[in-house]
Amino acid sequence: FRSALIFVVAWGVCLIAGDNSIVYEDLKDKYELDDILVSFLSKVIKFIVIALALVLIADEWNYDVNGFIAGLGLGGLAFALAAKDALANIFGGIIIILDKPFNIGDWIETPSVNGTVASITFRSTRVRTFAQALVTIPNSTLANESIINWSEMGKRQITFNLTIDYAGPRDKIEKCIQDIRKMLAEHPEVHPDTIMVYLDNINVYSLDIFLYFFTNTTNWEKYLAVKEELNFKILDILAAENVALAFPGRKVYSEGGI
């Protein structure tokens, strides 16, 4: 009867500890627990409950469990030493899941890999690179690396130097800079907070206009479409003022000589 009672209690605890139980559903909603962490905790609790139930049942039938428990302790120590790398990966996975530096589907960049997170387990994280290769990184390695999560960008940067012909009159060059700055400020896809358009460098045969601004979108394809549209508008502004782009090796001649 006592053995049956222990079995029933252990079975009930295992049902409650199941990752699909109502208790875990409430805990996930209340504490915003990750599904992977819930599954891991469920398995750990079930293992402990089953092991404890077996020891208690064996003790009820007068089996000597002290030697068995001591053997488990020594075996556990030997197992921990042999599986230290696996344990390091498990603890690394727990850190990643709790800290949440990224989620599945995020674009991340680390010293080891650059791509989209495909899956996260307690042993490793799989990342799909832009060449469509699947890279598996041990969690112990990933947890000790700096991680850039590009998916958390609120806006996307565009910056470059626009190299124009040195022969353009100052008033036209200044007009181009003002028109580009105005065009960017009025464009609906350009973030209004930071827009910089300035004459940055005076070179021997060219002038450099520095542009620094952000797009509202972070989507790669839409970002490229916005960037293309802005480039065409900049070319139209230069053409309207008859200001040409400079290219390497070109020497500019004026009416009075070189």
Side-chain angles (χ1 to χ4, degrees):
F1 176 79
R2 289 195 298 269
S3 296
L5 183 62
I6 293 171
F7 175 79
V8 170
V9 171
W11 183 36
V13 174
C14 287
L15 290 178
I16 295 174
D19 51 2
N20 293 323
S21 67
I22 299 176
V23 174
Y24 270 127
E25 291 295 332
D26 293 340
L27 289 176
K28 282 197 295 185
D29 295 338
K30 185 176 180 179
Y31 297 103
E32 298 181 355
L33 297 178
D34 192 274
D35 289 337
I36 300 175
L37 181 60
V38 169
S39 177
F40 176 76
L41 292 176
S42 173
K43 291 176 182 178
V44 170
I45 293 174
K46 285 181 179 179
F47 175 79
I48 294 174
V49 170
I50 292 173
L52 184 60
L54 290 176
V55 170
L56 292 176
I57 291 174
D59 185 63
E60 287 295 331
W61 291 91
N62 297 322
Y63 285 99
D64 186 11
V65 296
N66 293 325
F68 177 71
I69 294 174
L72 285 179
L74 293 175
L77 178 60
F79 177 79
L81 292 174
K84 59 179 181 179
D85 291 337
L87 292 175
N89 289 329
I90 290 175
F91 283 113
I94 293 174
I95 292 172
I96 290 173
I97 292 171
L98 291 177
D99 196 36
K100 291 185 178 179
F102 54 80
N103 294 308
I104 295 175
D106 286 355
W107 169 25
I108 65 170
E109 181 180 354
T110 73
S112 302
V113 70
N114 185 2
T116 304
V117 178
S119 65
I120 306 170
T121 65
F122 276 98
R123 194 192 71 82
S124 63
T125 297
R126 291 180 174 85
V127 177
R128 180 77 65 181
T129 66
F130 295 111
Q132 293 304 302
L134 188 63
V135 181
T136 302
I137 309 172
N139 286 333
S140 58
T141 301
L142 196 59
N144 292 319
E145 290 184 337
S146 59
I147 301 172
I148 302 174
N149 191 338
W150 293 109
S151 296
E152 293 297 321
M153 291 185 298
K155 51 189 177 180
R156 198 166 194 141
Q157 173 186 291
I158 297 179
T159 181
F160 60 93
N161 282 323
L162 183 64
T163 305
I164 62 173
D165 199 326
Y166 192 88
R170 171 178 171 172
D171 57 340
K172 290 189 175 183
I173 294 173
E174 192 171 1
K175 180 69 163 50
C176 287
I177 293 174
Q178 292 174 355
D179 289 348
I180 293 173
R181 190 181 294 135
K182 180 181 178 182
M183 181 271 295
L184 294 176
E186 295 177 351
H187 198 283
E189 292 296 334
V190 175
H191 200 281
D193 287 351
T194 305
I195 298 176
M196 299 181 184
V197 184
Y198 296 100
L199 180 62
D200 188 44
N201 291 318
I202 300 176
N203 304 312
V204 178
Y205 300 118
S206 65
L207 302 174
D208 290 340
I209 300 175
F210 174 72
L211 291 91
Y212 183 89
F213 56 96
F214 294 84
T215 62
N216 290 322
T217 182
T218 58
N219 179 270
W220 176 248
E221 185 175 0
K222 188 175 181 181
Y223 164 82
L224 292 177
V226 172
K227 189 176 180 181
E228 179 186 58
E229 181 184 352
L230 295 174
N231 286 337
F232 279 126
K233 287 182 178 293
I234 291 172
L235 291 176
D236 291 340
I237 291 173
L238 295 179
E241 297 298 328
N242 199 25
V243 174
L245 295 173
F247 56 89
R250 177 178 179 180
K251 293 185 178 181
V252 181
Y253 294 87
S254 63
E255 294 180 358
I258 296 179

